[in-house]
Amino acid sequence: MAPPDSTDDAPAAPIAFISETLLPTRRGDYRVRAYRDPVDGSEPVAILCGDVDGLESVPVRVHDECFTSEVLGSLKCDCREQLDYALDFIKRRGPGVVVYLRQEGRGIGLANKIAAYKLQEAGHDTVDANRMLGLPDDSRRYDAAAAILADLGVRSVRLLTNNPRKVAKLGELGVRIVGRLPVLVEPTEHSRGYLDAKAARMGHHLPRGGASEEAS
């Protein structure tokens, strides 16, 4: 039996705002608002381009940390490319927000993710690798993201995601989602199997073999 999808997201928990600053980056200036999640002590951030307070149909990416791709440059997934795509998108077509959550490996943590990678080396896909370790397919929670969007005054969002679970979970938490924007990047020879497994076994909106597509 597959481990259950282990997150039962409660109504958006209170979240502590810590500080906000201007952050110049290679792709331009963003505002970064830092928070502390009282549930697990993690420190999510909101990366903003423009003023979103009171706006409808705001382009929003809720992005989960991926140390292996974003820091080490791993080619096994498309997480870094999705983050780059979202940051560029809100710069071009904002005002918009990227909410960055500290949920490595679909919530299983970095060490467990490396253990799952070891099993993938033996030919198991990303779903079976987690299950062989006794871990859920996806244990991410999104109450912190919902609380951050409420704090920002965002009234409704167009969600930059390929993941139907993320759409459903945020909707259950009261985030008003008026559209979904695809984030499709070209797979590498290393990531193609991973992306195919997410499409076939987790319902992600990905064409087999990947594709480039401008979100609209």
Side-chain angles (χ1 to χ4, degrees), residues 126-209:
T126 181
V127 173
D128 284 339
N130 278 30
R131 294 177 182 181
M132 291 170 71
L133 293 168
L135 299 169
D137 299 347
D138 193 335
S139 59
R140 289 173 290 185
R141 38 176 283 267
Y142 295 109
D143 51 313
I148 288 170
L149 291 171
D151 178 69
L152 295 174
V154 173
R155 299 184 65 183
S156 66
V157 310
R158 290 178 298 142
L159 199 63
L160 286 140
T161 187
N162 306 319
N163 184 354
R165 178 184 183 273
K166 192 176 291 185
V167 175
K169 290 292 185 180
L170 286 166
E172 290 168 8
L173 289 162
V175 177
R176 186 166 164 250
I177 301 169
V178 296
R180 184 187 69 84
L181 305 174
V183 188
L184 303 179
V185 298
E186 290 295 336
T188 69
E189 62 176 301
H190 303 284
S191 68
R192 191 177 303 274
Y194 168 76
L195 296 177
D196 284 349
K198 288 209 298 186
R201 305 196 62 188
M202 303 180 75
H204 285 222
H205 300 291
L206 294 167
R208 291 302 182 89

Side-chain angles (χ1 to χ4, degrees), residues 74-158:
S74 168
L75 301 176
K76 287 178 65 67
C77 66
D78 62 344
C79 299
R80 179 177 179 174
E81 288 80 10
Q82 288 199 65
L83 177 60
D84 289 346
Y85 183 100
L87 290 170
D88 287 339
F89 188 92
I90 66 169
K91 177 64 68 176
R92 295 193 322 269
R93 299 173 64 174
V97 187
V98 174
V99 178
Y100 189 93
L101 303 176
R102 314 303 298 272
Q103 301 190 114
E104 183 77 43
R106 300 199 301 272
I108 64 174
L110 181 58
N112 281 331
K113 176 180 170 179
I114 298 303
Y117 276 1
K118 180 63 175 177
L119 291 171
Q120 290 172 39
E121 281 188 297
H124 304 287
D125 71 22
T126 181
V127 173
D128 284 339
N130 278 30
R131 294 177 182 181
M132 291 170 71
L133 293 168
L135 299 169
D137 299 347
D138 193 335
S139 59
R140 289 173 290 185
R141 38 176 283 267
Y142 295 109
D143 51 313
I148 288 170
L149 291 171
D151 178 69
L152 295 174
V154 173
R155 299 184 65 183
S156 66
V157 310
R158 290 178 298 142

Side-chain angles (χ1 to χ4, degrees), residues 18-29:
I18 305 301
S19 191
E20 178 177 340
T21 189
L22 174 68
L23 189 70
T25 77
R26 292 181 177 89
R27 53 178 35 90
D29 293 344

